[in-house]
Amino acid sequence: MSIASNVILENTRLGTTRTKIRNKLTEYNIWWDNTLTIFELAERLALMFSVTILGTVKSNIVTPGGFEYSVTLEDDGVPVDWWINGVHSVVRTDSNGKSAVTVQYVEGGSGTVVCKVGKKDVINISYSCVPFESFSDYAWNYEPENFDIVKYPTSISHTFDIDEVNYSEVFNLAKDVGSSSVAMAIPKVYANGIGGTNGIHIEVALYQKKDSNQGWGDAIALVNSKSLSHYRDTKILELGAYPGKKGLKYSTSDHVVRDLNVTTGQLTLDSQLYYFDLYYDNGYVKATIRAGTTNVYTYEGDASDKITFDTFYPAVMIYDAGGHIQFESIEVEPWTHEEE
């Protein structure tokens, strides 16, 4: 048999083998296309069998920084198939066994991410782009480390731990009793702040406290900065409880505290659990304070002539001669004011 005949025969055998491998890959729903060499096809055929997956990272939301989806296997160099909004790519595992892709943020966008290792569907998720990540925490999770404590002046002492009220765990934030001082608990997930044109809703379940007759305040708030040069910050919007009063206050770069909408009536101290809800969207404000299902304070209106933000941080705070605040839970999420 001539060399030419051998080449033809070998090519025929390779073609037959290639076809058989492709058919087998199709049968097992393993991705392939005509660009793959016979060796790459054979490599994928090996993925018909068990592949150990050590971990995945996925999310159904994408925030402005984008999100990295990943899968980690035991071995490096393994071809992993990804589809972002239907567009396919192959990302082989690196020296740590990790294959990853990043979905970029598109305002108002949504899409899908699918990841397969051979025939195994590892990630198959729909996502939406949101201006910032939602956050929730409950004192019974015993996770005070999820918060940054910001103080002014920084020299005042504070504690932040888990306490108990009415047989239920609460976050207990305490500071020195003294005028012109503040202590704030800010979720670490918002360490870089939230753009001031975004809408936000904060709900905190808290107990109203009083440690001094010198003047005190407990509040949930949006603050413009974590680097305080004054205990009132340069911009702040708060929903709080005060001696004989409750409601919304604000201050700007002059640090003067002004009433946005405040009503008379002392909240019950120490034993009553109140739900503080603050909604804000580029100057539009809604607020309620509830005891169970009963509203004890409500407000809604446009405050853009009084305060707007460059960046804001959601905070639970005590200030002036307030000594401590106790809260059972906190929830933060995007919110949009829709005009009717």
Coordinates of all heavy atoms in Angstrom, one line a residue, residues 3-57:
I3 N 2.2 5.2 0.3 CA 2.1 6.2 1.4 C 0.8 7.0 1.3 O 0.1 7.3 2.3 CB 3.3 7.1 1.4 CG1 4.6 6.3 1.7 CG2 3.1 8.3 2.4 CD1 5.8 7.1 1.7
A4 N 0.4 7.4 0.0 CA -0.8 8.2 -0.2 C -2.0 7.4 0.2 O -2.9 8.0 0.8 CB -0.9 8.5 -1.7
S5 N -2.0 6.1 -0.1 CA -3.2 5.3 0.4 C -3.3 5.2 1.9 O -4.4 5.3 2.5 CB -3.0 3.9 -0.2 OG -3.1 3.9 -1.6
N6 N -2.1 5.1 2.6 CA -2.1 5.1 4.0 C -2.6 6.4 4.6 O -3.4 6.4 5.6 CB -0.6 4.9 4.5 CG -0.2 3.4 4.4 OD1 -1.1 2.5 4.4 ND2 1.1 3.2 4.3
V7 N -2.2 7.5 4.0 CA -2.7 8.8 4.5 C -4.2 8.9 4.3 O -5.0 9.3 5.2 CB -2.0 9.9 3.7 CG1 -2.7 11.3 4.0 CG2 -0.5 10.0 4.1
I8 N -4.7 8.5 3.2 CA -6.2 8.5 2.9 C -6.9 7.6 3.9 O -7.9 8.0 4.5 CB -6.5 8.1 1.5 CG1 -5.9 9.1 0.5 CG2 -8.0 7.9 1.3 CD1 -6.0 8.7 -1.0
L9 N -6.4 6.4 4.1 CA -7.0 5.5 5.1 C -7.0 6.1 6.5 O -8.0 6.0 7.2 CB -6.3 4.1 5.1 CG -6.8 3.1 6.0 CD1 -8.3 2.8 5.7 CD2 -5.9 1.8 5.9
E10 N -5.9 6.7 6.9 CA -5.8 7.2 8.2 C -6.7 8.4 8.4 O -7.4 8.6 9.4 CB -4.3 7.7 8.5 CG -4.1 8.1 10.0 CD -4.3 6.9 10.9 OE1 -4.2 5.8 10.6 OE2 -4.6 7.2 12.1
N11 N -6.8 9.2 7.4 CA -7.7 10.4 7.4 C -9.2 9.9 7.5 O -10.0 10.5 8.2 CB -7.6 11.3 6.2 CG -6.3 12.1 6.3 OD1 -5.8 12.4 7.4 ND2 -5.8 12.6 5.2
T12 N -9.5 8.8 6.8 CA -10.8 8.2 6.9 C -11.1 7.7 8.3 O -12.2 8.0 8.8 CB -11.0 7.1 5.9 OG1 -10.7 7.6 4.5 CG2 -12.4 6.5 5.9
R13 N -10.1 7.1 8.9 CA -10.3 6.6 10.2 C -10.5 7.7 11.2 O -11.3 7.6 12.1 CB -9.1 5.7 10.6 CG -9.0 4.4 9.9 CD -7.7 3.7 10.2 NE -7.7 2.4 9.6 CZ -6.6 1.6 9.5 NH1 -5.4 2.1 9.9 NH2 -6.6 0.4 9.0
L14 N -9.7 8.8 11.1 CA -9.8 9.9 11.9 C -11.2 10.6 11.8 O -11.8 11.0 12.8 CB -8.7 10.9 11.6 CG -7.3 10.5 12.1 CD1 -6.3 11.5 11.6 CD2 -7.2 10.5 13.6
G15 N -11.6 10.7 10.5 CA -12.9 11.3 10.3 C -14.0 10.5 10.9 O -15.0 11.0 11.5
T16 N -13.9 9.1 10.8 CA -14.9 8.3 11.4 C -14.9 8.4 12.9 O -16.0 8.5 13.6 CB -14.7 6.8 11.0 OG1 -14.7 6.7 9.6 CG2 -15.7 5.9 11.7
T17 N -13.7 8.4 13.5 CA -13.6 8.6 15.0 C -14.1 9.9 15.4 O -14.8 10.0 16.4 CB -12.1 8.5 15.4 OG1 -11.6 7.2 14.9 CG2 -11.9 8.6 16.9
R18 N -13.8 11.0 14.7 CA -14.3 12.3 15.0 C -15.8 12.3 15.0 O -16.4 12.9 15.9 CB -13.7 13.3 14.0 CG -14.2 14.8 14.3 CD -13.7 15.8 13.3 NE -12.2 16.0 13.4 CZ -11.3 15.5 12.5 NH1 -11.7 14.8 11.5 NH2 -10.1 15.8 12.7
T19 N -16.4 11.7 14.0 CA -17.9 11.7 13.9 C -18.5 10.9 15.1 O -19.5 11.3 15.7 CB -18.3 11.0 12.6 OG1 -17.8 11.8 11.5 CG2 -19.8 10.9 12.5
K20 N -17.8 9.8 15.5 CA -18.3 9.0 16.6 C -18.2 9.8 17.9 O -19.2 9.8 18.7 CB -17.5 7.7 16.7 CG -17.8 6.7 15.6 CD -17.1 5.4 15.8 CE -17.4 4.4 14.8 NZ -16.6 3.1 15.0
I21 N -17.1 10.5 18.1 CA -17.0 11.3 19.3 C -18.0 12.4 19.3 O -18.7 12.7 20.4 CB -15.5 11.9 19.4 CG1 -14.5 10.8 19.6 CG2 -15.5 12.9 20.6 CD1 -13.1 11.3 19.5
R22 N -18.2 13.1 18.2 CA -19.2 14.2 18.1 C -20.6 13.6 18.5 O -21.4 14.3 19.2 CB -19.2 14.8 16.7 CG -18.0 15.7 16.5 CD -17.9 16.1 15.0 NE -16.9 17.1 14.8 CZ -16.6 17.5 13.5 NH1 -17.3 17.1 12.5 NH2 -15.6 18.4 13.4
N23 N -20.9 12.5 17.9 CA -22.2 11.9 18.2 C -22.4 11.6 19.7 O -23.5 11.7 20.2 CB -22.4 10.6 17.3 CG -22.6 10.9 15.9 OD1 -22.9 12.1 15.5 ND2 -22.4 9.9 15.0
K24 N -21.3 11.1 20.3 CA -21.4 10.7 21.7 C -21.5 12.0 22.5 O -22.3 12.0 23.5 CB -20.2 9.9 22.1 CG -20.2 9.4 23.5 CD -21.4 8.4 23.7 CE -21.2 7.1 23.0 NZ -22.3 6.1 23.3
L25 N -20.8 13.0 22.2 CA -20.9 14.3 22.9 C -22.3 14.9 22.8 O -22.9 15.3 23.7 CB -19.9 15.3 22.4 CG -18.4 15.0 22.6 CD1 -17.5 16.0 21.9 CD2 -18.1 15.0 24.1
T26 N -22.9 14.8 21.6 CA -24.3 15.2 21.4 C -25.2 14.4 22.2 O -26.2 15.0 22.8 CB -24.7 15.2 19.9 OG1 -23.8 16.0 19.1 CG2 -26.1 15.6 19.7
E27 N -25.0 13.1 22.2 CA -25.9 12.2 23.0 C -25.9 12.6 24.5 O -26.9 12.6 25.2 CB -25.4 10.8 22.9 CG -26.2 9.8 23.7 CD -25.7 8.4 23.5 OE1 -24.8 8.1 22.7 OE2 -26.1 7.5 24.3
Y28 N -24.7 13.0 25.0 CA -24.6 13.4 26.4 C -24.8 14.9 26.7 O -24.5 15.4 27.8 CB -23.3 12.9 27.0 CG -23.3 11.4 27.3 CD1 -22.9 10.5 26.3 CD2 -23.7 11.0 28.6 CE1 -23.0 9.1 26.6 CE2 -23.7 9.6 28.9 CZ -23.4 8.7 27.9 OH -23.4 7.3 28.2
N29 N -25.2 15.6 25.7 CA -25.5 17.0 25.8 C -24.2 17.8 26.3 O -24.3 18.7 27.2 CB -26.7 17.3 26.7 CG -27.2 18.7 26.6 OD1 -27.0 19.4 25.6 ND2 -27.8 19.2 27.7
I30 N -23.1 17.5 25.7 CA -21.8 18.1 26.0 C -21.5 19.0 24.8 O -21.5 18.6 23.6 CB -20.7 17.1 26.2 CG1 -21.0 16.3 27.5 CG2 -19.4 17.9 26.4 CD1 -20.0 15.2 27.7
W31 N -21.2 20.3 25.1 CA -21.0 21.3 24.0 C -19.8 20.9 23.2 O -18.7 20.5 23.7 CB -20.8 22.7 24.6 CG -20.6 23.7 23.5 CD1 -21.5 24.4 22.9 CD2 -19.3 24.1 23.0 NE1 -20.9 25.3 22.0 CE2 -19.6 25.1 22.0 CE3 -18.0 23.7 23.2 CZ2 -18.6 25.7 21.2 CZ3 -17.0 24.3 22.4 CH2 -17.3 25.3 21.4
W32 N -19.9 21.1 21.8 CA -18.7 21.0 20.9 C -19.1 21.8 19.7 O -20.2 22.2 19.4 CB -18.4 19.6 20.5 CG -19.5 18.9 19.8 CD1 -20.6 18.2 20.3 CD2 -19.7 18.9 18.4 NE1 -21.4 17.7 19.4 CE2 -20.9 18.1 18.1 CE3 -19.0 19.4 17.3 CZ2 -21.4 17.9 16.8 CZ3 -19.5 19.1 16.0 CH2 -20.7 18.4 15.8
D33 N -18.0 22.2 18.9 CA -18.3 22.8 17.6 C -17.2 22.4 16.6 O -16.2 21.7 17.0 CB -18.5 24.3 17.7 CG -17.2 25.1 18.0 OD1 -16.1 24.4 18.0 OD2 -17.3 26.3 18.2
N34 N -17.3 22.8 15.4 CA -16.4 22.3 14.4 C -15.0 22.8 14.5 O -14.1 22.4 13.7 CB -17.0 22.6 13.0 CG -18.2 21.8 12.7 OD1 -18.3 20.6 13.1 ND2 -19.2 22.4 11.9
T35 N -14.8 23.8 15.4 CA -13.4 24.4 15.5 C -12.5 23.5 16.4 O -11.3 23.6 16.4 CB -13.5 25.8 16.1 OG1 -14.0 25.7 17.5 CG2 -14.4 26.7 15.3
L36 N -13.1 22.5 17.1 CA -12.4 21.7 18.0 C -11.6 20.6 17.3 O -12.2 20.0 16.4 CB -13.3 21.1 19.1 CG -14.1 22.0 20.0 CD1 -14.9 21.2 21.0 CD2 -13.1 23.0 20.7
T37 N -10.4 20.4 17.7 CA -9.6 19.3 17.1 C -10.1 18.0 17.7 O -10.8 18.0 18.7 CB -8.1 19.5 17.5 OG1 -7.9 19.3 18.9 CG2 -7.6 20.9 17.0
I38 N -9.6 16.9 17.1 CA -10.0 15.6 17.6 C -9.5 15.4 19.0 O -10.2 14.7 19.8 CB -9.5 14.5 16.6 CG1 -10.2 13.1 17.0 CG2 -8.0 14.4 16.7 CD1 -10.0 12.1 16.0
F39 N -8.4 16.0 19.3 CA -7.9 15.8 20.7 C -8.7 16.6 21.7 O -9.0 16.1 22.8 CB -6.4 16.4 20.8 CG -5.5 15.6 19.8 CD1 -5.1 16.2 18.6 CD2 -5.1 14.3 20.1 CE1 -4.3 15.6 17.7 CE2 -4.3 13.7 19.2 CZ -3.9 14.3 18.0
E40 N -9.2 17.8 21.3 CA -10.1 18.6 22.2 C -11.5 17.9 22.3 O -12.1 17.9 23.4 CB -10.3 20.0 21.6 CG -9.0 20.8 21.7 CD -9.1 22.1 21.0 OE1 -9.7 22.2 19.9 OE2 -8.6 23.1 21.5
L41 N -11.9 17.2 21.2 CA -13.1 16.5 21.3 C -13.0 15.3 22.3 O -13.9 15.0 23.1 CB -13.5 16.0 19.9 CG -14.0 17.0 18.9 CD1 -14.1 16.4 17.5 CD2 -15.4 17.6 19.3
A42 N -11.9 14.6 22.2 CA -11.6 13.5 23.1 C -11.5 13.9 24.5 O -12.0 13.3 25.4 CB -10.3 12.8 22.6
E43 N -10.9 15.1 24.7 CA -10.8 15.7 26.1 C -12.2 15.9 26.7 O -12.5 15.6 27.8 CB -10.1 17.0 26.0 CG -9.9 17.7 27.3 CD -9.2 19.1 27.1 OE1 -9.5 19.8 26.2 OE2 -8.4 19.4 28.0
R44 N -13.1 16.4 25.8 CA -14.5 16.6 26.3 C -15.2 15.3 26.5 O -16.1 15.3 27.4 CB -15.3 17.5 25.3 CG -14.8 19.0 25.3 CD -15.5 19.8 24.4 NE -15.2 21.2 24.7 CZ -15.9 22.0 25.5 NH1 -16.9 21.4 26.2 NH2 -15.6 23.2 25.8
L45 N -14.9 14.3 25.8 CA -15.5 13.0 26.0 C -15.2 12.5 27.4 O -16.1 11.9 28.0 CB -15.0 12.0 24.9 CG -15.7 10.7 24.8 CD1 -17.2 11.0 24.4 CD2 -15.0 9.8 23.8
A46 N -14.1 12.8 27.9 CA -13.7 12.4 29.3 C -14.6 13.1 30.3 O -14.8 12.6 31.4 CB -12.2 12.7 29.6
L47 N -15.2 14.2 29.9 CA -16.1 14.9 30.9 C -17.5 14.3 31.0 O -18.3 14.7 31.7 CB -16.3 16.4 30.4 CG -15.0 17.2 30.5 CD1 -15.3 18.6 30.0 CD2 -14.4 17.3 31.8
M48 N -17.7 13.2 30.2 CA -18.9 12.4 30.4 C -18.9 11.8 31.8 O -20.0 11.5 32.4 CB -19.0 11.2 29.4 CG -19.2 11.7 28.0 SD -18.9 10.3 26.8 CE -19.7 8.9 27.6
F49 N -17.7 11.5 32.4 CA -17.6 10.8 33.6 C -17.6 11.8 34.8 O -17.6 13.0 34.6 CB -16.4 9.9 33.6 CG -16.4 9.0 32.4 CD1 -15.6 9.3 31.3 CD2 -17.3 7.9 32.3 CE1 -15.6 8.4 30.2 CE2 -17.3 7.1 31.2 CZ -16.5 7.3 30.1
S50 N -17.5 11.3 36.0 CA -17.6 12.2 37.2 C -16.5 13.3 37.2 O -15.3 13.0 37.0 CB -17.5 11.3 38.4 OG -17.6 12.1 39.6
V51 N -16.9 14.5 37.5 CA -16.0 15.6 37.7 C -16.3 16.2 39.0 O -17.5 16.6 39.3 CB -16.1 16.7 36.6 CG1 -15.2 17.8 36.8 CG2 -15.9 16.1 35.2
T52 N -15.3 16.3 39.9 CA -15.5 16.8 41.2 C -15.6 18.4 41.2 O -14.6 19.0 40.8 CB -14.4 16.4 42.2 OG1 -14.4 14.9 42.2 CG2 -14.7 16.9 43.6
I53 N -16.7 18.9 41.6 CA -16.9 20.4 41.7 C -16.7 20.8 43.2 O -17.5 20.3 44.0 CB -18.2 20.8 41.1 CG1 -18.3 20.4 39.6 CG2 -18.5 22.3 41.3 CD1 -19.7 20.5 39.0
L54 N -15.8 21.6 43.4 CA -15.5 22.0 44.8 C -16.3 23.2 45.3 O -16.6 23.3 46.5 CB -14.0 22.3 45.0 CG -13.0 21.2 44.6 CD1 -11.6 21.7 44.8 CD2 -13.3 20.0 45.5
G55 N -16.7 24.0 44.4 CA -17.5 25.2 44.8 C -17.9 26.1 43.6 O -17.3 26.0 42.5
T56 N -19.0 26.8 43.8 CA -19.4 27.8 42.8 C -19.7 29.1 43.5 O -20.0 29.2 44.7 CB -20.7 27.3 42.1 OG1 -21.8 27.2 43.0 CG2 -20.5 26.0 41.4
V57 N -19.6 30.2 42.7 CA -20.0 31.6 43.2 C -21.0 32.1 42.1 O -20.7 32.2 41.0 CB -18.8 32.5 43.3 CG1 -19.2 33.9 43.7 CG2 -17.8 31.9 44.3

